[in-house]
Amino acid sequence: MKTVLEGYVGIDTLTEQIRKKALRQGFEFNVMVVGGAGLGKSTMVNTIFKSKVSRRSCQPDEEYNTPKTVEIKSISHVIEEKGIRLKLTITDTPGFGDHVNNSKCWQPIIRYINDQYEKYLNEEISIRRRKRIPDTRVHCCIYFIAPSGHSLKAVDIEALKKLVQVVNVIPVIAKSDSLTLEERQAFKERIQQDLADNHIRVYPDMDNLDLDEEEINNNVELMNRIPFAVVGSTASHLVGSKNVLARKTRWGIVEVENSSHCEFIHLRDMVIRTHLQDLKEVTAQVHYELYRHERLETLKELPLDSVSSAPASPIGVQINHKNTDQHNHTPAKPSPKSTPKNIPTAKVLNNQPQQTISESKI
């Protein structure tokens, strides 16, 4: 029932209150890049955020040697624009797809993503939890596809199948300027067909019922563009009378932010300008909730009458001491109802061992 106000109350100031509080706290955003070596992952991240935020940029002297297994390396920055402070974490996956045998090379990545969910869950159910839980959950995974011009490789299909179950995945065609426009379009169509044939549901989710008509139309347009054919560059070149981000080649200049040259601006706008908050909400409300449900599912058989939120009664403690003194210091046996039941061990996800939720934290 909608009730008309008879005078000014001040409800309209709520958005300003929320804005001020959010500005004081700042924001968090965690991005993971997955793909083989040499696909321009570091350059792309630096181009999106227009700063040297990638791990390789911050450690220029580090020599790259293909690791024996897939490694997970993260680096965090605090960036600020017009008074908006953002804690940005970039997670790289060196070694992915760089070996002769790449079977199950996605498992360390899945394990890392689930480990961030586990850390958040342990904080959430802790007896003395913090006022604001640090959010290290991966909000967005940009998956780099090599510009082969053929179709998705078997390792890409298997990795994407697993990743979309635990994180928001945005696939991109790396270094798309190595393909002609015709080759790029044909390659994109084959990838879209591969995704459909293998039931791989990348971000954004078209079944989200909370969207309005404008957001639905925007998502339809984005899904028709996925995978984004992108080019990254942090170098500026003079085009006409202005400097632009571009890659200079023998046959000309590829402008990064020119939509007729590549689809970088559509990727950047989606990740930052239109869908950043939605990426965080889908992570919290879909992927993390599914993980949380699986981990706490084993607790559903715990009888409700065995759980109490009230502290122990001081009177009960005194009576217990009296019983102990009267029986020559022999402690009174606790009643069966007061004996807490063992909490069952949580399930293991993705056939990977996970940290068990300790009884002291519930």
Side-chain angles (χ1 to χ4, degrees):
M1 181 176 68
K2 186 176 180 180
T3 304
V4 179
L5 299 176
E6 297 178 0
Y8 179 73
V9 175
I11 299 174
D12 59 341
T13 64
L14 182 58
T15 54
E16 182 62 18
Q17 296 173 42
I18 295 173
R19 188 187 74 86
K20 286 182 177 179
K21 186 173 183 180
L23 288 177
R24 282 198 306 270
Q25 293 178 342
F27 301 90
E28 295 170 317
F29 189 52
N30 307 316
V31 179
M32 172 180 277
V33 289
V34 177
L39 292 181
K41 300 187 295 295
S42 298
T43 302
M44 180 56 57
V45 170
N46 292 343
T47 309
I48 291 174
F49 294 98
K50 292 192 175 180
S51 56
K52 294 181 179 180
V53 294
S54 69
R55 183 183 59 83
R56 295 296 299 275
S57 299
C58 299
Q59 301 169 351
D61 297 331
E62 181 185 18
E63 292 185 8
Y64 180 78
N65 297 311
T66 303
K68 294 182 180 179
T69 58
V70 178
E71 297 178 347
I72 310 294
K73 295 185 177 182
S74 297
I75 188 166
S76 295
H77 305 264
V78 175
I79 57 179
E80 188 170 338
E81 183 181 46
K82 295 183 179 180
I84 308 297
R85 190 173 67 257
L86 176 71
K87 181 183 178 184
L88 175 68
T89 299
I90 306 296
T91 301
D92 196 3
T93 55
F96 178 84
D98 294 341
H99 301 91
V100 175
N101 181 7
N102 291 306
S103 61
K104 298 184 179 180
C105 61
W106 53 83
Q107 285 188 346
I109 301 172
I110 300 290
R111 194 180 304 121
Y112 173 84
I113 294 170
N114 282 337
D115 189 44
Q116 306 317 302
Y117 292 148
E118 183 72 16
K119 289 178 181 177
Y120 196 91
L121 178 59
N122 281 333
E123 285 282 353
E124 197 174 56
I125 64 177
S126 176
I127 295 173
R128 295 183 181 87
R129 63 181 180 182
R130 295 181 238 190
K131 184 178 179 181
R132 189 182 183 200
I133 301 175
D135 191 0
T136 61
R137 297 171 295 185
V138 179
H139 302 128
C140 172
C141 173
I142 303 177
Y143 190 94
F144 288 73
I145 301 168
S148 64
H150 302 297
S151 59
L152 286 177
K153 295 185 291 185
V155 65
D156 291 325
I157 292 174
E158 291 305 314
L160 285 167
K161 278 183 179 179
K162 300 298 182 182
L163 286 171
V164 296
Q165 297 176 24
V166 296
V167 69
N168 300 316
V169 178
I170 302 175
V172 300
I173 300 173
K175 296 186 174 180
S176 65
D177 56 329
S178 62
L179 303 170
T180 66
L181 294 179
E182 293 77 14
E183 290 172 340
R184 190 179 81 181
Q185 184 58 33
F187 187 36
K188 178 180 288 198
E189 289 174 0
R190 282 193 288 272
I191 292 173
Q192 290 174 341
Q193 190 60 49
D194 286 341
L195 295 176
D197 292 343
N198 291 279
H199 309 288
I200 299 172
R201 300 181 62 173
V202 296
Y203 182 87
D205 186 1
M206 298 306 297
D207 293 338
N208 190 341
L209 302 178
D210 295 333
L211 304 178
D212 58 29
E213 186 175 352
E214 182 182 353
E215 290 171 324
I216 292 173
N217 292 335
N218 188 23
N219 283 352
V220 169
E221 183 182 345
L222 289 172
M223 286 302 295
N224 291 332
R225 292 186 180 277
I226 287 177
F228 298 107
V230 296
V231 175
S233 176
T234 56
S236 294
H237 295 278
L238 189 65
V239 176
S241 59
K242 62 177 183 178
N243 281 317
V244 297
L245 290 175
R247 285 191 66 197
K248 191 172 183 179
T249 64
R250 291 181 182 178
W251 52 87
I253 291 178
V254 181
E255 297 178 38
V256 171
E257 297 178 299
N258 187 333
S259 59
S260 63
H261 290 193
C262 72
E263 296 175 321
F264 167 80
I265 59 171
H266 300 292
L267 171 65
R268 181 201 59 199
D269 289 354
M270 177 184 180
V271 172
I272 300 177
R273 302 183 182 183
T274 61
H275 286 69
L276 189 150
Q277 183 59 30
D278 187 65
L279 284 163
K280 296 182 66 174
E281 288 178 359
V282 173
T283 299
Q285 299 170 9
V286 178
H287 297 297
Y288 172 67
E289 277 301 314
L290 287 172
Y291 179 88
R292 184 177 180 275
H293 174 77
E294 289 291 331
R295 295 290 278 141
L296 299 181
E297 177 70 13
T298 52
L299 302 182
K300 69 179 182 180
E301 298 177 0
L302 191 67
L304 292 178
D305 59 2
S306 67
V307 180
S308 174
S309 60
S313 170
I315 299 175
V317 175
Q318 292 174 7
I319 293 173
N320 241 358
H321 282 306
K322 285 184 179 180
N323 290 340
T324 303
D325 294 337
Q326 289 174 4
H327 292 83
N328 297 322
H329 302 287
T330 303
K333 292 183 179 180
S335 63
K337 287 186 178 180
S338 65
T339 304
K341 295 188 177 182
N342 291 330
I343 296 174
T345 304
K347 292 181 180 179
V348 174
L349 294 184
N350 300 308
N351 298 321
Q352 297 298 328
Q354 294 288 330
Q355 178 186 353
T356 304
I357 301 173
S358 62
E359 188 176 35
S360 63
K361 289 190 174 182
I362 298 180

